[in-house]
Amino acid sequence: MPMTFFMSGKNGIQQRLNSWQDGVSGTNCPIQPGLNWTYVFTVKDQIGTFSYFPSINFQKAGGAFGPIQVNNRVVIPIPFPKPRGEFDLLVGDWYNESFKDVRSSLRKSHFDLLPKSMLLNGRSRYPQSNWTIVVEEDETYLIRISNVGTQWSINFRIQNHQMLLVETEGSYTSQIMLDSIDIHVGQSYSVLITTNQPEADYYIVASPKMVNTSESSSLVGVGVLHYKESTTPVQGPLPVGPDPFDVNFSVNQAKSIRWNLTAGAARPNPQGTFNVSNVTLSQTFILQGSLAEINRVVRYTVNNVSYHVPNTALKLADYYQNGTGTYQLDAYPANSSYPIATYGTFVVSGTHNGWLEIVFKNNLKDIDSWHLDGFGFYVVGFGDGEWTPDVRSTYNLYDPVVRSTVQVYPRGWTAVYAYLDNPGMWNLRSQILKHWYLGQELYIRVYDPDPNPAKEHEPPSNLLFCGSVIPPPAPKPTPVPPKPSPATIISINRWWLVNMGIFKEHDSNTMTKAKK
């Protein structure tokens, strides 16, 4: 009988100094069937909207994901009036087939199985099922929206209601009013809506990008915004979004999403205190996502390398064996393509406390989406065609938004800056699930030689072991000396009483009190 292993990733939670808790194959061993494992981590340096999901074996396509909210400390104000209420909205494409069947098809290079539905908080479109947000008139509400799907970016909109964008993946944004918003796989946004329309019901719509769909398609997710006193059901056509193939709309909107420099977040100082306009780059990675055939099997690659998952978690091998037998550091290029498409455990060095520029290049016809664990990165630029050093002059270095997942448009590039102040073994991957499952990932090893646990945490007490790293033998118990018998205690007490001059001993059976 096949056994299922599980592991949970926290999408966007940075795990400061603690990649032991990151929940991906490079940092954690799988949780064995029938067992459980407790993640313990702190989020004191973050605020915002995030999600969690299973991170191995294509299990995300089977569900088990959910939202994570990290709120401001009371002493740090949010940069908008407190809303009347909050709602979590998980939107994502969904396969009709079992994730195991889809996984099996992908292994055989069959890519014909595609998601068939768009779900809102696990429910199919209205009216087949009625997913509803209930609101009161003339109030403001915060909606936290996460694209937890596997393949498609979405455009999200609410009939007759504009949305004020306020936050994305741990960063407060400059507040801009939007009729609709593109949300790419793995991304999260927080928007404010004001219920200033006549009391009625209104459509909520999430439609896929780069896909032809009719209004009645199951790939168009539909819910309802219901005013509490409404007796008027939803009516009329669904609100129209941008053309799903209009990449220019999406790029221009992405460029308009900027960091709110004056807002505090996890700390009292404004977000803009950390300026990237004058940083000195320590490294540049140029990472090209492509398709390749390796041993007559189609795989996704980064720089022509399709990631091979070793039996030993990289972090374990790094800590206990210096990586020996599990991976070879910097064996594959981070700036160019490997000459021949190959399988490999792709691990590169990141300079601790250095600034890293990453240029993501997309040779595919669909929108890709990239995520970096352990850090937020500054999204400094988007472009078409080839990236060259000259295009740095087009970067936005004044107020680039900081987030953990960024889209890369077809035949285009996206550039980000990351400050590598968080030691550990950190996953860098495509968020498109079939890309990730078929090899589009690598790890960045950020190493600090100082063993001070204040700089990087030691392994947790419940550490799981796997592969070539075996659990250390349990310590032998310290023998406990036997308790003395009552006769021994009496004998010791008799000796003490005589020697202290309290009693005078006459024979083995009699004692009298000594005279003072």
Side-chain angles (χ1 to χ4, degrees), residues 113-318:
L113 288 179
L114 297 173
K116 303 297 193 304
S117 305
M118 188 71 68
L119 304 184
L120 280 69
N121 280 4
R123 298 191 183 185
S124 60
R125 61 172 289 153
Y126 174 89
Q128 286 89 335
S129 66
N130 186 9
W131 183 80
T132 303
I133 290 178
V134 180
V135 296
E136 296 181 7
E137 190 178 16
D138 293 325
E139 297 285 358
T140 298
Y141 294 87
L142 183 72
I143 306 179
R144 301 176 184 264
I145 315 159
S146 296
N147 184 339
V148 295
T150 64
Q151 178 150 336
W152 285 314
S153 303
I154 62 167
N155 180 265
F156 180 84
R157 51 203 183 269
I158 302 175
Q159 185 181 27
N160 291 6
H161 291 73
Q162 288 189 308
M163 298 173 288
L164 183 68
L165 178 64
V166 294
E167 181 260 335
T168 178
E169 296 158 40
S171 291
Y172 289 122
T173 63
S174 293
Q175 296 176 12
I176 54 175
M177 196 67 75
L178 301 171
D179 295 316
S180 71
I181 184 170
D182 282 356
I183 307 175
H184 304 278
V185 177
Q187 290 186 338
S188 297
Y189 285 100
S190 293
V191 299
L192 292 172
I193 64 164
T194 300
T195 51
N196 53 9
Q197 297 299 303
E199 286 196 338
D201 290 359
Y202 298 90
Y203 287 118
I204 299 171
V205 177
S207 56
K209 306 286 293 183
M210 311 301 287
V211 180
N212 272 322
T213 55
S214 66
E215 185 174 284
S216 61
S217 170
S218 61
L219 277 174
V220 178
V222 181
V224 174
L225 181 73
H226 170 70
Y227 279 58
K228 190 174 181 181
E229 304 299 325
S230 167
T231 58
T232 305
V234 286
Q235 54 189 328
L238 300 182
V240 177
D243 185 311
F245 296 93
D246 185 353
V247 172
N248 286 333
F249 166 85
S250 193
V251 171
N252 290 334
Q253 185 179 83
K255 290 180 177 179
S256 73
I257 297 171
R258 305 294 185 94
W259 218 24
N260 186 335
L261 300 180
T262 62
R267 300 180 182 182
N269 53 298
Q271 290 180 153
T273 303
F274 213 21
N275 196 302
V276 298
S277 61
N278 294 310
V279 303
T280 300
L281 295 174
S282 301
Q283 297 173 279
T284 295
F285 294 168
I286 301 173
L287 305 177
Q288 185 165 275
S290 303
L291 267 175
E293 189 173 296
I294 306 173
N295 299 333
R296 291 185 285 185
V297 176
V298 178
R299 298 281 296 190
Y300 286 90
T301 66
V302 184
N303 289 358
N304 238 5
V305 180
S306 187
Y307 188 80
H308 167 72
V309 180
N311 293 328
T312 307
L314 299 177
K315 186 63 181 172
L316 269 185
D318 190 56

Side-chain angles (χ1 to χ4, degrees), residues 490-500:
I490 292 171
S491 176
I492 292 171
N493 289 343
R494 182 187 186 103
W495 176 90
W496 183 83
L497 292 170
V498 170
N499 279 275
M500 292 297 293

Side-chain angles (χ1 to χ4, degrees), residues 100-117:
K100 296 179 182 179
D101 293 336
V102 182
R103 183 176 66 190
S104 178
S105 293
L106 291 173
R107 286 176 182 162
K108 299 171 184 175
S109 301
H110 299 160
F111 293 178
D112 52 339
L113 288 179
L114 297 173
K116 303 297 193 304
S117 305

Side-chain angles (χ1 to χ4, degrees), residues 359-489:
V359 179
F360 300 108
K361 297 173 67 177
N362 181 8
N363 287 343
L364 307 170
K365 63 181 180 180
D366 297 317
I367 300 171
D368 207 343
S369 184
W370 279 87
H371 175 86
L372 175 60
D373 285 355
F375 306 91
F377 47 54
Y378 297 76
V379 183
V380 296
F382 298 93
D384 296 324
E386 288 298 312
W387 179 91
T388 66
D390 291 341
V391 303
R392 289 179 177 140
S393 62
T394 69
Y395 286 0
N396 168 29
L397 300 181
Y398 174 67
D399 57 356
V401 72
V402 180
R403 62 188 316 157
S404 61
T405 300
V406 70
Q407 68 274 24
V408 191
Y409 294 99
R411 313 297 180 188
W413 56 264
T414 299
V416 303
Y417 285 179
Y419 183 58
L420 302 185
D421 61 342
N422 193 13
M425 186 72 72
W426 301 110
N427 185 245
L428 179 60
R429 64 178 180 269
S430 174
Q431 294 276 51
I432 310 301
L433 190 57
K434 67 180 181 181
H435 296 189
W436 185 12
Y437 181 68
L438 293 180
Q440 197 171 319
E441 67 173 315
L442 68 151
Y443 282 81
I444 302 177
R445 179 182 185 260
V446 181
Y447 180 65
D448 182 351
D450 187 347
N452 183 352
K455 292 190 174 182
E456 185 180 4
H457 295 344
E458 295 179 334
S461 59
N462 63 344
L463 180 66
L464 298 176
F465 293 86
C466 56
S468 62
V469 180
I470 60 175
K476 294 181 179 180
T478 303
V480 178
K483 292 182 179 180
S485 65
T488 303
I489 296 172

